[in-house]
Amino acid sequence: MQIVFASAAAPAGPVARVVGQDSLPADLAPVMAEAARAARFTGKTGQLVEAFVANGEAVSCQVLVGSGKDAEGRSGALERAGAALAAKYGCSGAKALTIDFTGSSLSAADVAAVLLGARLRSWRHDAYRTKLPDEQKRTLETITVVGAPDGAEAAWQVEAALAEGLDLTRELVAEPANIIYPETFVERVTARLEGSGVTVEVLDEKAMKALGMGALLGVAQGSARPPRLLVMRWNGGGDAQPTAFVGKGVTFDTGGISLKPPAGMEDMKWDMGGAGAVAGTMLALARRKAKANVVGVCGLVENMPDGNAQRPGDVVTTMDGQTVEVINTDAEGRLVLCDAITWVQEKIKPARIVDLATLTGAMIISLGHEHGGLFSNDDALADGLVAAGKASGDKLWRFPLSPAYDKLIDSPIADMKNVGPREGGSITAAQFIQRFVKKGMPWAHLDIAGMVWASKPGATWDKGATGFGVRVLDRFVRDTLES
Ligand code: BES
Ligand code: MN
Ligand code: ZN
């Protein structure tokens, strides 16, 4: 779907206006005004009413969509107005939709938010649907924007870059594990980054062996699919030390020898959501030419049980020399992240590290599907991320770290074990990662297990892949690194 700015409405298709709470325009056609009254339309966020208005021989579909009062304190309500239009008209048969901002008091940034909502809500993964009934097929091809204030198109270009990154993340997350595995993840991302200005480096199994990444390789050894470490660099910020984003990219998580139960195991195709968010963020940053230096690292493995798989009780040596007793092969994400985080510290020496991972089921028990969990050794970094979460809609909630939790992963045979007790499972997972963060390195860990996949449609996503993570990272870069 494309978005174009024009001076006149598209010749066909509905024409929509965005209306705040209790602020119906005075110039409504009588039919529209009556339709709004009859539907009790008040301009509540996402509320929508349409009427067919006769104009001589012709009949046009006019639409009002509500943007409420924006109680969220950000452009979320405007995004939801745009999303409501996309949800309603995406498969309606209409190929064109016009949004008319003439006479509206919305700013350029507000208009961009409406369009972003429409654009994000339009995304759906139809690659494998060969028998979609006509009424479920996407028909909407173009949104024409008229009457927008000066600067709206430029503001939209920035959000369009974000949307492009989100598309990539959602696609990677939605693809099944027979299509996206470490090698194809790298191929897909590399192809999409082509020409963007992001440089790509890929470490294969041999390179990782040479570096001593025993923890990551231990997870990978039960799979026929070889692992990869994908490194993406965006240098838009002069000679500033880069910020590193590191993603868990387990392209499928069976649990390994500590095999998961079958019910719901198909969900583990999206156990690469952290890596997907990192890749999508790199694309978004490059497309909008962010004035910042960022390195994205994805630790890509498949966690499978087979004759060569690692066993519970195995001891592995990590890249930084610490040893880990693998009590549970299903606690594999931290084993992947620890080596990826060591690599980025030794090779890149970043100013700060943010890792993202679908790390623990316990996080979903704690926070449900409303917030990602945040863990950090640095208050300024944590505060920046919480603020970016609020501003972007990818909300985060901070959890504690402390030596008492850390002690719970001491091992009798090695430096640490890869699981603690059931209680506080998300925290001990974070403590594990923290053991690989070098002294003085500001670090934050986002456990996004509850956020990357939605079982029902949300504000700006259909059910399925949400793209969680891209927006908070992009916002963090905008507000903390670029200003
Ligand atoms: N990828 C899972 C966590 C997960 C579960 C994400 C459900 C999304 C939905 C992770 O690798 C895992 O299996 N964690 C274990 C850890 C446990 C063995 C300590 C878990 O949460 O059960
Ligand atoms: Mn697991
Ligand atoms: Zn996992």
Side-chain angles (χ1 to χ4, degrees), residues 126-467:
D126 286 339
Y128 306 116
R129 297 168 162 276
T130 67
K131 295 188 162 57
L132 261 185
D134 268 351
E135 61 276 15
Q136 286 179 29
K137 283 196 180 122
R138 298 254 141 216
T139 54
L140 188 60
E141 289 167 1
T142 311
I143 294 181
T144 303
V145 183
V146 298
D150 282 351
E153 192 163 3
W156 165 242
Q157 289 315 320
V158 176
E159 303 306 331
L162 178 63
E164 207 182 319
L166 270 155
D167 283 354
L168 173 59
T169 301
R170 288 174 171 184
E171 180 182 316
L172 292 165
V173 166
E175 287 283 12
N178 61 328
I179 302 295
I180 290 292
Y181 43 92
E183 292 156 289
T184 54
F185 185 105
V186 168
E187 282 167 19
R188 184 82 61 104
V189 171
T190 307
R192 284 289 255 289
L193 290 173
E194 181 87 42
S196 68
V198 173
T199 57
V200 172
E201 179 189 350
V202 184
L203 275 66
D204 63 8
E205 207 170 357
K206 197 162 146 248
M208 290 191 272
K209 266 198 188 117
L211 289 163
M213 294 188 172
L216 186 153
L217 292 169
V219 176
Q221 77 189 30
S223 171
R225 312 281 197 199
R228 292 288 184 266
L229 193 82
L230 169 64
V231 184
M232 297 159 283
R233 289 181 172 83
W234 170 250
N235 289 317
D239 46 14
Q241 279 295 100
T243 292
F245 297 145
V246 180
K248 168 180 172 181
V250 176
T251 57
F252 196 79
D253 180 13
T254 63
I257 296 300
S258 311
L259 193 62
K260 287 181 181 294
M265 202 203 275
E266 68 280 6
D267 280 350
M268 288 299 106
K269 73 172 184 180
W270 47 261
D271 207 18
M272 35 53 68
V278 169
T281 301
M282 298 308 294
L283 179 58
L285 295 176
R287 284 284 188 258
R288 68 174 183 77
K289 307 230 176 309
K291 292 187 180 52
N293 293 339
V294 178
V295 177
V297 178
C298 298
L300 301 163
V301 303
E302 186 182 55
N303 189 22
M304 297 288 275
D306 96 337
N308 193 46
Q310 70 180 342
R311 294 145 291 258
D314 281 7
V315 174
V316 295
T317 302
T318 61
M319 181 178 171
D320 82 344
Q322 300 186 78
T323 56
V324 179
E325 182 188 11
V326 180
I327 299 289
N328 189 322
T329 64
D330 197 11
E332 84 297 340
R334 62 202 78 181
L335 297 170
V336 173
L337 283 173
C338 70
D339 279 337
I341 285 176
T342 299
W343 185 88
V344 84
Q345 289 174 104
E346 293 187 5
K347 306 293 174 184
I348 309 279
K349 306 200 185 336
R352 60 191 67 75
I353 300 173
V354 181
D355 79 70
L356 294 88
T358 49
L359 205 63
T360 64
M363 185 47 66
I364 311 178
I365 304 301
S366 304
L367 292 175
H369 305 287
E370 289 300 319
H371 288 82
L374 162 67
F375 304 78
S376 182
N377 62 0
D378 185 278
D379 289 344
L381 177 57
D383 292 349
L385 286 164
V386 168
K390 275 196 185 129
S392 69
D394 278 356
K395 289 171 287 177
L396 300 173
W397 194 263
R398 191 172 180 184
F399 280 73
L401 292 165
S402 80
Y405 289 115
D406 186 68
K407 226 165 75 69
L408 299 173
I409 52 169
D410 285 340
S411 157
I413 181 175
D415 298 335
M416 71 197 90
K417 50 189 182 182
N418 76 330
V419 295
R422 230 168 79 83
E423 311 88 71
S426 305
I427 306 176
T428 46
Q431 294 288 168
F432 181 97
I433 299 170
Q434 191 179 18
R435 289 198 183 198
F436 295 86
V437 175
K438 299 194 191 306
K439 211 165 170 275
M441 174 63 69
W443 155 79
H445 157 62
L446 311 184
D447 190 337
I448 61 174
M451 304 308 292
V452 312
W453 193 259
S455 55
K456 49 182 197 302
T460 50
W461 55 87
D462 202 343
K463 59 177 186 286
T466 62

